């Protein structure tokens, strides 16, 4: 199984097959998360957008009054994010970083009040990658910081089709045959067991909806988690 690479993602961003590649609007998980923040009187602070891509969620959070650091390992995606920040006069609110999440993150300890991850952790397909991600996430977040995580479910109408040809069935790793990008499909207990050693789960929802994947509409299944750092 090939490792996910910046080149694979750069190709996907140019082809615009999956929602994060072609949509300008923020993810539904981030929209719902903002409602949660507002209900809890959180109206500003430093946000980390993990696996930001071209920045649809970063731009949205910056428009809501947050200061955002965006990290992605595809150089073209970060360049496009920075160009969009200039276009919308958000250069003081958005800071792009091109770096791998499988290595030490380029941020200080206890730097962020909020972190958002819309379908990034799902692409960390090896145990060392996932351990580095969780360790670095804990390091850079302040005590009691809030973390949104969105991942695809095992019963997802698109990705679930490829479980039968999984290169690692035990871990539910699948490879999208259209763009060759690998990911892990999750159930709720999987995520809770991986994150609750350092985080408390404060909200959860399971979202069933329809959206476009590579030009066709599918039934989708997504898990949304909101954690608070211990």
């Amino acid at each position: 199984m090939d490792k996910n690479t910046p080149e694979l993602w750069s190709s996907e961003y140019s082809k615009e097959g999956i929602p994060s590649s072609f949509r300008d609007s923020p993810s539904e998980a981030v929209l719902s998360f903002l409602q949660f923040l507002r209900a809890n009187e959180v109206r500003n602070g430093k946000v980390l957008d993990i696996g930001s891509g071209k920045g649809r969620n970063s731009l949205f959070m910056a428009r809501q009054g947050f200061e955002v650091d965006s990290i992605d390992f595809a150089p073209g995606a970060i360049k496009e994010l920075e160009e969009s920040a200039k276009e919308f006069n958000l250069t003081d609110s958005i800071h792009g970083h091109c770096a791998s999440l499988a290595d030490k993150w380029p941020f200080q300890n206890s730097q962020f009040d909020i972190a958002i991850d819309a379908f990034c952790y799902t692409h960390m397909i090896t145990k060392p990658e996932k351990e580095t991600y969780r360790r670095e996430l804990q390091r850079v977040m302040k005590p009691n910081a809030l973390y949104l995580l969105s991942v695809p479910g095992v019963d997802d109408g698109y990705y679930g089709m490829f479980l039968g040809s999984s290169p690692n069935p035990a871990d539910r790793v699948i490879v999208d045959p259209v763009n060759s990008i690998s990911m892990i499909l999750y159930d709720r207990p999987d995520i809770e067991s991986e994150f609750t050693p350092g985080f408390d789960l404060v909200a959860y929802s399971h979202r069933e909806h329809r959206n476009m994947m590579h030009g066709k509409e599918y039934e989708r299944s997504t898990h949304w988690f909101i954690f608070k750092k211990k």
Side-chain angles (χ1 to χ4, degrees), residues 112-157:
F112 296 100
D113 304 287
I114 296 165
I116 58 175
D117 177 328
F119 274 51
C120 179
Y121 183 73
T122 188
H123 295 292
M124 313 300 289
I125 58 173
T126 69
K127 184 176 179 181
E129 285 177 339
K130 295 203 293 182
E131 289 176 344
T132 296
Y133 178 111
R134 295 194 301 268
R135 181 177 64 250
E136 288 298 288
L137 178 68
Q138 285 190 302
R139 181 183 66 80
V140 303
M141 294 183 72
K142 297 177 182 178
N144 298 314
L146 293 167
Y147 166 58
L148 169 70
L149 174 62
S150 175
V151 296
V154 174
D155 57 343
D156 185 83

Side-chain angles (χ1 to χ4, degrees), residues 47-59:
V47 174
L48 175 60
D49 185 2
I50 304 169
S52 62
K54 295 186 288 187
R56 61 178 180 145
N57 294 319
S58 295
L59 294 164

Side-chain angles (χ1 to χ4, degrees), residues 71-224:
I71 183 169
D72 198 283
F73 70 170
I78 292 296
K79 181 179 180 180
E80 188 164 337
L81 181 153
E82 291 174 337
E83 290 173 349
S84 296
K86 290 180 181 178
E87 179 183 353
F88 296 110
N89 297 315
L90 293 170
T91 53
D92 291 338
S93 301
I94 296 179
H95 315 284
H97 306 266
C98 187
S100 171
L101 294 165
D103 300 318
K104 186 174 180 179
W105 298 2
F107 307 113
Q108 299 176 1
N109 295 348
S110 303
Q111 184 172 340
F112 296 100
D113 304 287
I114 296 165
I116 58 175
D117 177 328
F119 274 51
C120 179
Y121 183 73
T122 188
H123 295 292
M124 313 300 289
I125 58 173
T126 69
K127 184 176 179 181
E129 285 177 339
K130 295 203 293 182
E131 289 176 344
T132 296
Y133 178 111
R134 295 194 301 268
R135 181 177 64 250
E136 288 298 288
L137 178 68
Q138 285 190 302
R139 181 183 66 80
V140 303
M141 294 183 72
K142 297 177 182 178
N144 298 314
L146 293 167
Y147 166 58
L148 169 70
L149 174 62
S150 175
V151 296
V154 174
D155 57 343
D156 185 83
Y158 178 73
Y159 291 120
M161 296 189 298
F162 311 120
L163 283 169
S165 57
S166 170
N168 184 351
D171 291 335
R172 303 195 198 105
V173 176
I174 67 95
V175 180
D176 186 331
V178 179
N179 57 24
S180 300
I181 292 173
S182 304
M183 66 196 310
I184 295 176
L185 305 185
Y186 285 99
D187 279 330
R188 175 178 177 174
D190 303 325
I191 293 296
E192 290 194 45
S193 66
E194 292 184 15
F195 282 89
T196 50
F199 295 84
D200 290 319
L201 180 65
V202 296
Y204 165 80
S205 62
H206 178 221
R207 171 72 170 159
E208 294 181 339
H209 57 115
R210 296 182 66 86
N211 72 4
M212 301 295 291
M213 295 291 294
H214 305 299
K216 296 182 180 180
E217 191 174 67
Y218 294 87
E219 296 286 346
R220 305 302 309 282
S221 171
T222 308
H223 299 285
W224 298 350

